[in-house]
Amino acid sequence: MFGGLELSEAKMAKLRVLFFLVSLVVWATKVDVPVFAQVQTTDKKAQDMAGIEKLRQQDIAATLSRDPVALTDLWTDDAVRLSPGQPAEVGKQAIRESNERWSARPGFKVLSYVPETRDLACGRGQTRGARPTWPPSRSSTSRT
């Protein structure tokens, strides 16, 4: 008996199958959402890593060419470049002027440039993790 009505065996079997299918769809939906979200996160990370690698290659090409415009275009308008023993260069224009001064030095050549990427974490005004070294260990410059 179901809701005061008698149901035949065939109708009961159909209801069991329907209940099973609905339960299966609900379960599959709950399982697929986190898996799908994880795939999107993985894809986003891969896109981010590809973008970082593209910027790295642009930096290498601009450095080796000593093109002050190409070197400046890698920075944002509100950038701050810090160099050991030098005042901070604040803004894209200040960075470009510095790049132009370096590029104009007679006999200055960049023989090789292999940037070294390290993990660095900042929080509450303190820096944790590996710190960049200066001069970079695999970078060579020459003045003739």
Side-chain angles (χ1 to χ4, degrees), residues 64-77:
L64 292 175
S65 72
R66 296 183 342 167
D67 179 356
V69 175
L71 283 166
T72 304
D73 286 345
L74 299 172
W75 297 85
T76 59
D77 292 333

Side-chain angles (χ1 to χ4, degrees), residues 94-139:
I95 292 170
R96 181 177 182 162
E97 290 167 1
S98 174
N99 291 341
E100 288 171 347
R101 283 192 303 275
W102 273 98
S103 295
R105 289 182 174 191
F108 179 79
K109 294 180 184 179
V110 178
L111 300 177
S112 70
Y113 176 60
V114 182
E116 191 172 315
T117 305
R118 298 181 182 187
D119 288 335
L120 182 66
C122 298
R124 296 187 184 162
Q126 296 181 358
T127 305
R128 300 184 316 269
R131 295 175 189 235
T133 58
W134 189 261
S137 59
R138 289 190 241 163
S139 177

Side-chain angles (χ1 to χ4, degrees), residues 2 8 10-11 17 21 40 61 64 71-72 74 77 81 85 89-90 106-107 112 118 126 139-140:
F2 185 75
S8 70
K11 286 185 179 180
V17 170
L21 292 175
Q40 284 183 329
L64 292 175
L71 283 166
T72 304
L74 299 172
D77 292 333
R81 181 164 63 184
E89 296 167 348
V90 180
S112 70
R118 298 181 182 187
Q126 296 181 358
S139 177
S140 301

Side-chain angles (χ1 to χ4, degrees), residues 28-94:
T29 302
K30 288 184 179 182
V31 168
D32 285 344
V33 170
V35 171
F36 181 67
Q38 185 178 11
V39 169
Q40 284 183 329
T41 302
T42 303
D43 289 346
K44 177 68 174 141
K45 183 177 180 180
Q47 289 173 352
D48 289 346
M49 295 305 290
I52 291 168
E53 181 58 26
K54 179 180 176 184
L55 180 62
R56 184 177 166 277
Q57 292 301 321
Q58 290 171 333
D59 176 51
I60 292 169
T63 300
L64 292 175
S65 72
R66 296 183 342 167
D67 179 356
V69 175
L71 283 166
T72 304
D73 286 345
L74 299 172
W75 297 85
T76 59
D77 292 333
D78 61 348
V80 177
R81 181 164 63 184
L82 303 173
S83 298
Q86 301 293 321
E89 296 167 348
V90 180
K92 204 169 188 174
Q93 184 62 33

